[in-house]
Amino acid sequence: WQEGCSPKPASLLSVLHLILVSLLGSAILLSEMSHHLPHSPRVHGFLMVLMLASSAWMLCFGWQSRKTEKHRLNVDHHAGASWLKAGLALFALATLILDCFSFGYYREILHCTSPLMIAFPLVQAVFTVTQVSFLSSFAKVCIQDWCCLHRVGLMNSLATNLLLWMNVVLDESTKQLRSIYMEEQQDSAHNTTLSNSCACTTDLCHIFRDGAAHLHPFNIEFSLFSSTMLYVLWKNLGRVPSSLGPQARARRPAFRISGIFPGLLLGALVLSATFGCMIVFGVFFKAKDTLPHALQIYYTFSLILLCLMLLSSCAGTLVYRLQKRSSFTFRTKNVVRNLDVALLLGCSCGPLAICIFSMTAIFFTGSLSSLNSLDLFFSLFKTLQVLGQNLFISEALFSGPDERHPTAQFVLAGALNKSFDSESQCAVWSTMESSMQVQMDEDEKSRVLKMHDSPHMGAAAFQKPFLFTSRRRGRAKIMQNILVFLLLCNIAVWILYAYGARPHLVSETEQNFYGFTLWATVVTSCLPLGIFYHIHSAASLFEVYCKSQLN
Amino acid sequence: WQEGCSPKPASLLSVLHLILVSLLGSAILLSEMSHHLPHSPRVHGFLMVLMLASSAWMLCFGWQSRKTEKHRLNVDHHAGASWLKAGLALFALATLILDCFSFGYYREILHCTSPLMIAFPLVQAVFTVTQVSFLSSFAKVCIQDWCCLHRVGLMNSLATNLLLWMNVVLDESTKQLRSIYMEEQQDSAHNTTLSNSCACTTDLCHIFRDGAAHLHPFNIEFSLFSSTMLYVLWKNLGRVPSSLGPQARARRPAFRISGIFPGLLLGALVLSATFGCMIVFGVFFKAKDTLPHALQIYYTFSLILLCLMLLSSCAGTLVYRLQKRSSFTFRTKNVVRNLDVALLLGCSCGPLAICIFSMTAIFFTGSLSSLNSLDLFFSLFKTLQVLGQNLFISEALFSGPDERHPTAQFVLAGALNKSFDSESQCAVWSTMESSMQVQMDEDEKSRVLKMHDSPHMGAAAFQKPFLFTSRRRGRAKIMQNILVFLLLCNIAVWILYAYGARPHLVSETEQNFYGFTLWATVVTSCLPLGIFYHIHSAASLFEVYCKSQLN
């Protein structure tokens, strides 16, 4: 990993910049939360300054790189996959619609809010458009010039995205907590009157407000996706990936649907069942007397879903084990893979924490009512499912496409481009793996040369690999079905978490055991992680699926 | 970094084990905090089980490795420095004394506590002794056999240490918060009576209790030091460091005191001034009417101290820059160095967060009374000092001993052992650096060969290096003085934080701005990080000092 840029303390400086900006932003955001001001000019002003600075830097970078075309050559092909860009564009589109709704909403309630609030959606729209065009043009680039400036610029944009994410999450959490508080207050004293001068009066205003509320989850994902892509750019800054070019591009994964009908069908069934369950749950959840019934439906449905997901994760891991081509190691130098697994593990702490806190509370209070035992089983299976899925996805991400039994076509290509992997510095697999591969290529080259000498011998030598290939094809199809099914399940769980009501906040055993404040803190800080965990799992599964099509 | 152990998912499994145990422990610890039970059998029972399991694994490991002596050869010489072991032994000793005091205290109040509480100090003593002997014997080892078991064992011990740390920190924080709450309650209503049946009645009991209270900071550092050493062991597991052996051992850093009198003297002055200030502050802090006076003294003293530290950090960085031998890079493969810098940056988030939250509060409330402006300047200088110190220590840690102008003796040794650094896999410096060094060695070899051919020419060639050396010596002496002074300053700040009263908790501007709960949460979660930051800085500075003696 040769460092092209000389000023190395720049990376430390940019990390310090990230820390300082994030802490400053957190201080401002948290102070607003305690003042219970939903539309504070202070927070939005700060975020607008950050967004404008980031946009300015991105435009500068784009303008500068238009002049010097040379760093287009320094590209890390594992970064910025096309499906990632497509996902980013989708989330950006939702964010733009959200900005339109917000703009309309703030215009309607202009009498009780500051003019700054109207400017905020506009600035956010500019930032979103700039960021999407920046990331889709330069996601693969290993930046080589002006390293110090660009490092700080990247970290500034990263901090902006993180703070935007934190702002939305805090807003949503305080709204939920306030509705629960209000319910309790209304229960205890019916004579409290809601004196909200900023309430919507027109129908248009209601439409804008409700529309915006449904688009927030997409905005959250947009910030997180952008953050990971910016981080990869930061890590790749100054790197010089050598002759990876044409070979890697020729073997780029593609998305094709063939032979995965069972997986798609089952997944679609799960998705539609989720929508059904969500609607029923939403209706029953509103009233106090049908609340236990709603929880029962939710837990039962989730238990079935989790069992299915756990089974498919286990089956997937088993198939990988049977193929015995696990090359899983933590020490690969590929930034994108390492980041994927680290994010997966980090985010899985969210759902794991909620489940383990629930289980501890139920275990120690010892009250096993029917709802509590459902909750206990739900938490147990959720834990197992998350653990199993982590193992499966890590194994799948690190085991590259099988290069040991290549088809005839690949043998020739491999022999011709023998030097490819030994020279590459942005290699997908660990050094051990790649050195092994070079050996393989050596063997295959000699085989191919032999074939050229005696064509009859060559035909005989092809028999065994082809028999082997058909069995491998069968396994690959099973694996692809599992991947598609698990992908759709994760999207289902994501929808359930992002839009469905949250039963954890109302379960009383945990509230009594930990106290309301502590339990609400745990749930509201861990749920966003859980939501991101499932969308990130889905993204990783999609990538593995595309990779598996290469075989 | 060849992976000797085959089952690679073992590392993932052990990380998942760490996450699960930590979350379970956190759930149990936090549930006790909300119940306000200081001596809970549940928490202590859980911790005892963990400690016994870890001790059993360590004994197993020791017994097993006594039979097979071969993995003594696989050693990472950068791990487990001897001063680290000495520090660990010191903290362990304090922990053992703490255990004696705790045992005595619990015996005295046996009538109102469970018998489990008496067993706890005994188990902790066993655990402490086992862990110290384990770490001092095997800190450098790169484990090669039974990888899966040992990975999980290491992570289990790491989780135990983290939970022990968390337990003490939570205990201390709740005690402080309770004393503040009590003061407020007593202020508002004087008729509340303390009905504590578990209060100490005998003098002996008081001595035990107060003695234990003074030893907790050492116990905290013991857990954290052990955690970092266990993490290094985990990261080194399965590695095969090659021919580093004899050469590295010959060049092991040593601690010598010569020519650092000014630094030592100034540092000792600062230390004694700190003790004086702490006593005065402690006396004035107790009474409500002298509280502002106490805060004034604290802030003024801290401001002077911080200015001195900032200046010496800047001077140190400047000297390094003048020497132009900064080889600072994030991409070195040395586990210990990377961990050091990551810990430094991570822990510095603690003091930085408190300072930035303070500054934000004072800036937005806009009330600049004399105390507030002192607080503002204190926070500003603290931020600058932490940033400067981070830059200085990172630069110092990554720039190895200067190999470019070695003395005559070293030239010969370098020429003879030319192949040393190009082969080493546990190299201290980055690959770029080491390749540069090989070139240097090449040059020097040819010079030495020339000298052998014509001794008169050789004498002339020695002139310039010797002149150069004397100037370098002068710079090295300045640097050593700076290092020693900064080391003692960090110890002074550590003492101030660990034993002095905490003025952040009582400052009213921040309390009003963020609300008491949020501010108390920020302070109590960030202060332990700050304490560890200063002890870790001192340790790193000590290491850099020892390394600088090589020149």
Side-chain angles (χ1 to χ4, degrees), chain A residues 441-454:
Chain A
D441 285 353
E442 208 82 66
D443 296 351
E444 270 144 25
K445 194 184 175 183
S446 61
R447 216 167 68 197
V448 171
L449 287 176
K450 258 192 232 161
M451 280 194 285
H452 278 275
D453 291 346
S454 54

Side-chain angles (χ1 to χ4, degrees), chain B residues 433-492:
Chain B
E433 176 82 354
S434 74
S435 68
M436 236 161 76
Q437 211 173 323
V438 171
Q439 276 190 348
M440 293 282 174
D441 284 352
E442 208 83 66
D443 296 351
E444 271 144 25
K445 194 184 174 182
S446 62
R447 217 168 67 198
V448 170
L449 287 176
K450 258 190 232 161
M451 281 194 284
H452 279 273
D453 291 346
S454 54
H456 299 289
M457 282 267 293
F462 264 90
Q463 287 288 346
K464 208 185 158 196
F466 273 134
L467 265 173
F468 214 89
T469 305
S470 76
R471 204 204 280 166
R472 261 189 54 243
R473 282 255 164 84
R475 266 194 209 137
K477 278 281 160 259
I478 295 175
M479 180 57 83
Q480 283 168 9
N481 277 302
I482 291 174
L483 287 168
V484 166
F485 174 69
L486 210 54
L487 194 160
L488 290 174
C489 283
N490 270 295
I491 292 177

Side-chain angles (χ1 to χ4, degrees), chain A residues 115-135:
Chain A
L116 205 71
M117 295 304 298
I118 297 184
F120 184 76
L122 297 177
V123 173
Q124 196 178 20
V126 170
F127 173 70
T128 306
V129 171
T130 318
Q131 180 155 287
V132 167
S133 37
F134 171 79
L135 284 177

Side-chain angles (χ1 to χ4, degrees), chain A residues 3 8 235 328 331 513, chain B residues 3 8 235 328 331:
Chain A
E3 178 85 44
K8 282 151 202 165
K235 279 293 258 188
F328 168 51
R331 293 200 185 114
F513 191 70
Chain B
E3 178 85 44
K8 282 150 201 165
K235 279 291 260 188
F328 168 50
R331 291 197 187 117

Side-chain angles (χ1 to χ4, degrees), chain A residues 12-59:
Chain A
L12 183 64
L13 275 177
S14 60
V15 172
L16 290 176
H17 178 80
L18 173 76
I19 293 175
L20 284 183
V21 174
S22 309
L23 286 177
L24 185 60
S26 316
I28 297 179
L29 284 175
L30 288 175
S31 76
E32 293 307 309
M33 202 181 71
S34 66
H35 292 163
H36 300 294
L37 298 171
H39 317 298
S40 101
R42 200 186 288 161
V43 171
H44 289 86
F46 180 72
L47 288 176
M48 274 160 69
V49 171
L50 274 184
M51 285 194 283
L52 287 175
S54 300
S55 305
W57 170 75
M58 285 173 192
L59 289 174

Side-chain angles (χ1 to χ4, degrees), chain B residues 20-33:
Chain B
L20 285 183
V21 173
S22 309
L23 286 177
L24 185 59
S26 316
I28 297 178
L29 283 175
L30 288 175
S31 76
E32 292 308 309
M33 203 180 71

